[in-house]
Amino acid sequence: MAKKLLAFVLACCMIFTLAACNKSDTTAKDDGAKGDAKEEGSKKLTVDDLKVGFIYIGSKTDGGYSQAHDKGRLALEEKLGVKTIALENVPENASDAEKAIRDLIDQGCNVIYANSFNYEDSMLKVAKEYPDLYFGHATGISQITGKGVENLTNYMGRIYEPRYLSGIAAGMKTTAKKIGYVAAFPTAEVIRGINAFTLGVRSVSPETTVEVLWINSWYDPAQERAAADELLNRGCDVIAQHCDTTGPQVAAQEKGAFAVGYNSPSKDAAPKAYLTAPLFNWGEYYISDVQSILDGNRKSGLWWEGMASGAVELDALSDNCAPGTAEKVEEAKQKIISGDFFVFQGPIKDNEGKERVKAGERMSDKDMYLNFDWFVEGVIGNASGK
């Protein structure tokens, strides 16, 4: 009987000991897991961890849009010391765009930016496949429409602000009271720019019209030049543009007319015609976005900054501008920066006479970004692109 009792006591001791050991092991594993998770969550990427890839619709020496982005890429390298690589002249069709994105990933890029509107579907597709990588898409709309993903941001400058100022310069220069505008696609972004420019023109020359020709391409040097020639032949004596090269400015110079550029300073391309240009400072975004990745607090959304932040600006006025232009431009600039003046504040009518923005009202960011499918009074053309 004593032996049975002793065996029972020893068995209980063993069960207790094993249970205690198991409990101790479980606690250790839990604490270890929590410690690992905390360490992983607090770990920040370093400059050496990053390689940043860029996809351009044009050449980095195009004198316009892609060159402006490449200037931002170089500013990023200089400021933060990260490694970068750029792919140029990438078509916007799905197969070429997707291949370019995947090529950058294969080359070790963990941050990827694409600079043209029609890359967005490809960017979204690949971003969903690689949730641990970071993507940025210029001029896109997925984040504001609610179709975006967590690891992709849209970014754009409020270029309509310096567009308005460039319109003042053009309106003060024209004597024919007819200005031509070479436009890419009938998107809200392009229409927004045309409208801002026209409002600037008519703030100093109320009777002047702005005639729009669509080329249905973001980057097509031959079409850009041909459209400018057509507008000049119709009697326009100043040419503005939303397209990527300096072709319209060169065409204006050859006809003894004047021009407003876009994206990059381009006085050297047409020194006798150039008035000024609305400019992007893409480095403002690239530096701030990559810094947020390094800091571990990067968030998806829409980055849309204006002149007050330095994201966009008007190039220096050339000597070709009319007397008094600098004073008019500076006055409007300071009012925009201070908030005393808003470009799309009513009353604003469309080019068919319908009131679109009531007196005292301002268009919302969402309406400006997505819902511009109409031209303001003074524009000759069809906002549908026909």
Side-chain angles (χ1 to χ4, degrees):
M1 183 68 180
K3 290 181 178 180
K4 289 183 178 180
L5 179 62
L6 179 61
F8 176 75
V9 171
L10 290 173
C12 289
C13 289
M14 290 179 65
I15 292 170
F16 177 80
T17 301
L18 286 171
C21 289
N22 285 339
K23 181 177 180 182
S24 177
D25 287 346
T26 302
T27 302
K29 288 178 182 178
D30 284 348
D31 288 346
K34 289 178 182 177
D36 290 344
K38 184 176 180 181
E39 181 180 350
E40 182 66 23
S42 62
K43 180 183 178 182
K44 292 181 180 179
L45 294 171
T46 69
V47 167
D48 292 336
D49 294 325
L50 296 184
K51 187 173 184 180
V52 185
F54 292 79
I55 297 172
Y56 300 152
I57 190 173
S59 164
K60 61 176 113 176
T61 58
D62 67 2
Y65 184 67
S66 290
Q67 184 168 326
H69 280 276
D70 202 60
K71 184 177 179 181
R73 177 185 68 85
L74 295 175
L76 172 65
E77 283 187 345
E78 180 178 359
K79 181 71 174 180
L80 299 183
V82 298
K83 300 181 289 292
T84 72
I85 183 172
L87 302 181
E88 305 171 73
N89 300 306
V90 177
E92 290 182 297
N93 65 75
S95 59
D96 286 319
E98 187 175 330
K99 180 180 182 301
I101 299 167
R102 296 185 187 281
D103 283 349
L104 289 175
I105 293 173
D106 289 343
Q107 293 181 64
C109 292
N110 45 12
V111 183
I112 296 174
Y113 299 110
N115 79 345
S116 197
F117 183 81
N118 291 324
Y119 292 140
E120 186 155 36
D121 287 345
S122 298
M123 289 288 283
L124 286 168
K125 178 181 178 181
V126 180
K128 291 174 183 177
E129 293 181 30
Y130 293 89
D132 295 331
L133 304 186
Y134 300 92
F135 297 83
H137 177 237
T139 76
I141 62 174
S142 62
Q143 291 295 345
I144 202 167
T145 59
K147 297 180 180 179
V149 293
E150 286 298 316
N151 58 331
L152 183 147
T153 63
N154 292 133
Y155 58 99
M156 181 62 179
R158 293 182 184 267
I159 200 70
Y160 64 85
E161 294 177 348
R163 282 274 195 204
Y164 180 91
L165 301 181
S166 71
I168 293 175
M172 294 190 69
K173 187 64 179 180
T174 181
T175 57
K177 306 303 180 185
K178 294 178 64 176
I179 295 174
Y181 201 111
V182 180
F185 286 101
T187 66
E189 174 197 342
V190 179
I191 294 170
R192 184 172 65 239
I194 294 167
N195 286 344
F197 176 80
T198 304
L199 290 171
V201 167
R202 289 170 72 88
S203 73
V204 294
S205 184
E207 68 278 19
T208 295
T209 59
V210 176
E211 185 170 359
V212 175
L213 277 187
W214 298 105
I215 62 171
N216 293 307
S217 175
W218 299 112
Y219 177 76
D220 190 323
Q223 282 200 73
E224 293 171 32
R225 173 61 189 267
D229 283 332
E230 176 63 23
L231 290 165
L232 291 162
N233 290 336
R234 294 182 188 182
C236 297
D237 63 350
V238 179
I239 299 295
Q241 64 181 84
H242 190 134
C243 53
D244 288 359
T245 77
T246 58
Q249 299 160 59
V250 174
Q253 177 166 285
E254 291 180 0
K255 292 288 181 68
F258 298 93
V260 172
Y262 185 42
N263 298 304
S264 296
S266 50
K267 183 180 178 181
D268 291 347
K272 295 180 180 179
Y274 186 78
L275 299 177
T276 187
L279 308 177
F280 290 98
N281 295 321
W282 294 110
E284 292 289 325
Y285 171 73
Y286 292 132
I287 292 168
S288 66
D289 192 53
V290 171
Q291 186 63 59
S292 74
I293 293 170
L294 292 170
D295 293 340
N297 58 16
R298 202 247 200 170
K299 297 179 181 179
S300 62
L302 171 65
W303 187 92
W304 198 23
E305 298 295 329
M307 291 194 299
S309 73
V312 294
E313 64 180 333
L314 187 72
D315 193 19
L317 300 174
S318 79
D319 293 338
N320 297 321
C321 288
T325 301
E327 292 78 8
K328 286 285 187 182
V329 166
E330 184 63 23
E331 179 184 4
K333 174 184 174 181
Q334 293 307 321
K335 287 182 177 179
I336 291 172
I337 291 174
S338 69
D340 290 340
F341 174 73
F342 187 76
V343 172
F344 295 112
Q345 178 171 315
I348 299 176
K349 293 182 179 180
D350 65 21
N351 63 351
E352 295 180 350
K354 179 181 177 181
E355 185 177 64
R356 292 285 190 161
V357 186
K358 295 179 180 179
E361 293 185 355
R362 295 183 173 191
M363 293 186 70
S364 69
D365 276 359
K366 187 171 184 179
D367 279 341
M368 287 191 295
Y369 208 84
L370 296 177
N371 298 330
F372 259 129
D373 57 1
W374 51 273
F375 282 143
V376 299
E377 188 174 27
V379 178
I380 298 173
N382 192 316
S384 69
K386 297 178 181 179

